[in-house]
Amino acid sequence: MRRPARYSPSPRGPQPDEAAMPTPSPSAEAAAGDPAPVQARDRWQPGRRAFAALLVAVVALGGASAYLWQRPPGGQQLTQKDIDAAVLKTLQTQTLPSQTTRAADIIRPSVVRVVSYGAEKQTPAAKTEKRGRNMARGKPPEAAEPPGEVERGIGTGVVIVDKGVILTNLHVVAGAEKIKVTFFDGLESVATVTSVQPENDLAVLQAQKIPDDLMAASMRSTADLRPGDQVAAVGFPFGIGPSVSSGVVSGLKRSFQSPEGRQELSNLIQFDAAANPGNSGGPLINMDGEVLGIVTAILNPTHQRTFIGIGFAVPIENAASAVGSPPF
């Protein structure tokens, strides 16, 4: 049975008179017809958001136990002051992973490398990307492709259904004669385009082979997203990766026109986490490792195709609709 994409609803603050309302019994909820998918979603989400708190507690308690174990035996009863001192000592001496590290660890099993093959593009942007890929591999900038399959472009994708359904940018795979994706465990598979959404530069891929333990990313509504919120971009800039860069949301509802002037995208998330060619199609995530959008463009006043601090992502609401699954 095909497992649907997973969505995480926006947090909702307490409503007026909500505290005074009686809590419905399970039988009453069933009678009201509360849909099962919402119940499943609500059960899944708190556990993931509690990951950071649980990790801190485990480390702190582990360190506290070690500290208390070293106390000389004397038959003295431990006091709350002893426990507080042990926890404080642990927090001062143990290095905990950053929020970005935890978020990247959550999303990494769902991020894939996307390579398109075919006739080599001759646009200035394509030539710049090729030079960047060569330099990233330690080759001369103008080195020719090896005989056989010619890499037309490299990008990123994110698994949204654990049956191998992948979201990426349309410009990464457009015109390709063959597409290959590489999963987190190194498994490589041919993929085919199953649908496209040109107005948002999105494409949906289906991988022919998938890892046994493939994990789909969780998607999060952008309804409560605000400028200043922390985000991270995960992908394969110039084929290097998976790479992680962090920053904040710089703005919302932005518009962007491609350098060639062929397309204008709207309702974009603007962010300042570093992104470069190859990040296209990768996830923009929050600090819970949930996908907020699909990285699709960087602003460049020149043809150098280097990051100047402004990137754009298609909100996940638009991206999910590309697979016929409006999430929110």
Side-chain angles (χ1 to χ4, degrees), residues 110 112 114 156-161 164-168 181 183 191 194 203-207 323:
S110 305
V112 301
V114 180
T156 308
V158 59
V159 177
I160 59 169
V161 180
V165 179
I166 299 166
L167 266 177
T168 189
V181 296
F183 293 95
T194 58
V204 181
L205 308 180
Q206 175 64 60
V323 294

Side-chain angles (χ1 to χ4, degrees), residues 12-80:
R12 183 173 63 90
Q15 301 298 315
D17 302 328
E18 200 171 63
M21 294 177 64
T23 302
S25 65
S27 59
E29 290 181 350
D34 189 41
V38 174
Q39 294 174 347
R41 186 171 63 225
D42 291 344
R43 284 198 303 270
W44 182 88
Q45 180 58 26
R48 195 165 196 173
R49 283 209 299 260
F51 174 80
L54 178 60
L55 179 61
V56 171
V58 170
V59 173
L61 289 175
S65 299
Y67 174 79
L68 293 172
W69 182 262
Q70 296 172 359
R71 289 171 55 89
Q76 298 179 355
Q77 185 176 2
L78 292 176
T79 66
Q80 185 61 47

Side-chain angles (χ1 to χ4, degrees), residues 135-162:
M135 294 175 68
R137 296 170 180 170
K139 298 181 179 180
E142 305 300 332
E145 295 283 356
E149 295 179 332
V150 176
E151 289 186 0
R152 182 182 176 88
I154 294 180
T156 308
V158 59
V159 177
I160 59 169
V161 180
D162 61 6

Side-chain angles (χ1 to χ4, degrees), residues 278-301:
N279 277 108
S280 294
L284 183 72
I285 62 174
N286 62 13
M287 294 298 99
D288 290 322
E290 301 164 326
V291 182
L292 299 169
I294 301 298
V295 177
T296 193
I298 54 177
L299 182 62
N300 290 113

Side-chain angles (χ1 to χ4, degrees), residues 107-262:
I107 192 65
R108 189 171 287 113
S110 305
V111 178
V112 301
R113 185 172 183 262
V114 180
V115 182
S116 61
Y117 299 89
E120 190 172 347
K121 298 178 185 178
Q122 298 301 319
T123 63
K127 292 178 179 179
T128 300
E129 287 187 36
K130 178 183 176 182
R131 287 194 291 271
R133 292 198 303 270
N134 283 339
M135 294 175 68
R137 296 170 180 170
K139 298 181 179 180
E142 305 300 332
E145 295 283 356
E149 295 179 332
V150 176
E151 289 186 0
R152 182 182 176 88
I154 294 180
T156 308
V158 59
V159 177
I160 59 169
V161 180
D162 61 6
K163 299 300 182 182
V165 179
I166 299 166
L167 266 177
T168 189
N169 278 150
L170 178 57
H171 74 259
V172 172
V173 297
E177 298 173 1
K178 188 175 184 179
I179 302 169
K180 287 185 180 180
V181 296
T182 305
F183 293 95
F184 72 100
D185 64 349
L187 177 68
E188 189 177 85
S189 172
V190 172
T192 56
V193 178
T194 58
S195 65
V196 297
Q197 196 180 75
E199 65 272 23
N200 287 310
D201 189 24
L202 294 168
V204 181
L205 308 180
Q206 175 64 60
Q208 294 182 4
K209 298 185 298 182
I210 62 173
D212 293 335
D213 55 348
L214 182 61
M215 294 177 58
S218 180
M219 294 174 276
R220 174 63 174 266
S221 169
T222 61
D224 61 337
L225 195 63
R226 296 291 181 269
D229 285 346
Q230 289 184 283
V231 291
V234 184
F236 292 84
F238 295 107
I240 303 173
S243 300
V244 181
S245 58
S246 64
V248 299
V249 173
S250 307
L252 301 168
K253 299 186 183 302
R254 300 294 198 238
S255 296
F256 171 79
Q257 188 170 26
S258 64
E260 298 82 6
R262 293 194 301 265

